[in-house]
Amino acid sequence: MFKVLRLIDIRCSLQYIPQNSLSIMPMYNGYETPEYQVIDGPVKDASYEVRKYPTAKWTSTEVSSPVLDGAPSTGFRRLFNYITGKNESGNTISMTCPVTIAVNNRESAFANMKTIVSFYVPTSHQEKPPVPTADDVYTEDRKETTVYVKTFGGFAKSKDWYNQVTQLREDLIKDGVKEDQIKSDMFYAVSYDNPYKFFWRRNEVWITKKSNKETLSSNKNKIQNPMKNDSENNEDNANLAPR
């Protein structure tokens, strides 16, 4: 397992990205990352960044696990097999950075956690990615997405991801972002560094900003079912507690 993790995450330190850049495609030791825009947030000098990612394809796999720490290695292994030839063309696909893990709320207190582990499809294959041959790997079409991003260091474990995303949510609410403007039923845990890098590690948590259409729909439902929505919001917020 450690060999697979090392092959998948063999990346170096994040290069400096100017805060006022309009459109940037940062690289990590020559590994491609998805292009994004840094846009204005609700306040200046915030403890987080607001990014807009354009529509793009990602290679993904769903992993069900009792705890967040159990999901990444299984997902990495499946995706590594895909980019090293386990696809219909038999081609080797360039590795990209970072790895994103979409963490969804549990269906119940007794259910496993559902996560989606993903690699960004490199530009050379964006138009027509090789089709995976494994049933548990697929190509995901991500629509244009705006995310609030909090960066932190260290070796991130389950409690760290949840503590950081909880802090990010609290900062957003403090800065005037309303609950119905963000997705509270999931977040992204994002990893950049290999497990053999001991200093200056980079991790991120992403909270997705709802589109105007989603916010309007949420407000409409809240007006129609005020008691139901309050209960659902409380449950979603409770699921941000550390596991």
Side-chain angles (χ1 to χ4, degrees):
M1 180 177 73
F2 287 104
K3 289 183 179 179
V4 173
L5 287 175
R6 185 172 187 179
L7 285 169
I8 291 174
D9 274 336
I10 199 76
R11 307 172 185 57
C12 198
S13 303
L14 178 72
Q15 296 176 351
Y16 172 71
I17 304 171
Q19 184 69 24
N20 60 351
S21 295
L22 293 178
S23 183
I24 49 185
M25 185 180 289
M27 301 289 290
Y28 296 84
N29 255 17
Y31 291 100
E32 183 180 354
T33 68
E35 182 180 2
Y36 63 85
Q37 282 186 310
V38 177
I39 62 177
D40 291 337
V43 298
K44 292 184 177 180
D45 300 322
S47 60
Y48 50 85
E49 190 172 66
V50 188
R51 300 178 189 164
K52 180 183 288 185
Y53 285 87
T55 300
K57 293 180 173 65
W58 294 67
T59 302
S60 302
T61 183
E62 184 174 316
V63 181
S64 179
S65 174
V67 293
L68 180 53
D69 290 340
S73 60
T74 300
F76 291 164
R77 188 179 302 109
R78 295 175 187 172
L79 297 178
F80 180 72
N81 289 337
Y82 167 75
I83 67 173
T84 54
K86 199 171 182 180
N87 53 71
E88 286 189 356
S89 64
N91 290 336
T92 299
I93 302 166
S94 299
M95 190 178 297
T96 60
C97 205
V99 176
T100 68
I101 306 169
V103 184
N104 296 282
N105 283 349
R106 298 174 189 267
E107 294 179 358
S108 73
F110 311 105
N112 277 345
M113 178 180 298
K114 290 183 179 180
T115 65
I116 300 175
V117 183
S118 305
F119 287 167
Y120 171 69
V121 175
T123 301
S124 58
H125 292 286
Q126 273 289 318
E127 186 174 340
K128 191 176 181 181
V131 178
T133 54
D135 293 336
D136 51 9
V137 177
Y138 62 95
T139 300
E140 175 187 354
D141 288 300
R142 286 192 193 174
K143 297 179 180 179
E144 180 181 270
T145 305
T146 299
V147 290
Y148 297 98
V149 180
K150 179 175 174 59
T151 303
F152 64 101
F155 284 90
K157 298 296 184 182
S158 181
K159 65 179 180 63
D160 301 308
W161 295 117
Y162 280 101
N163 287 340
Q164 293 294 329
V165 77
T166 298
Q167 183 61 59
L168 174 57
R169 175 187 164 276
E170 290 176 354
D171 289 344
L172 293 175
I173 299 303
K174 179 189 67 177
D175 292 342
V177 177
K178 299 184 183 301
E179 290 279 5
D180 58 13
Q181 294 175 323
I182 57 176
K183 292 188 177 181
S184 57
D185 60 347
M186 62 84 66
F187 72 93
Y188 287 98
V190 183
S191 177
Y192 285 85
D193 298 302
N194 71 72
Y196 302 96
K197 183 179 178 183
F198 299 105
F199 302 101
W200 304 107
R201 296 184 59 82
R202 184 178 182 89
N203 315 292
E204 294 174 349
V205 287
W206 298 355
I207 292 179
T208 304
K209 179 182 179 181
K210 287 183 179 180
S211 65
N212 291 336
K213 183 177 180 180
E214 289 173 317
T215 300
L216 289 173
S217 176
S218 177
N219 288 336
K220 183 178 179 180
N221 290 335
K222 185 174 292 186
I223 292 172
Q224 293 175 343
N225 304 288
M227 297 300 293
K228 179 179 179 181
N229 277 273
D230 286 344
S231 174
E232 289 176 348
N233 285 336
N234 289 337
E235 182 179 349
D236 287 341
N237 293 338
N239 275 314
L240 293 180
R243 299 308 196 261

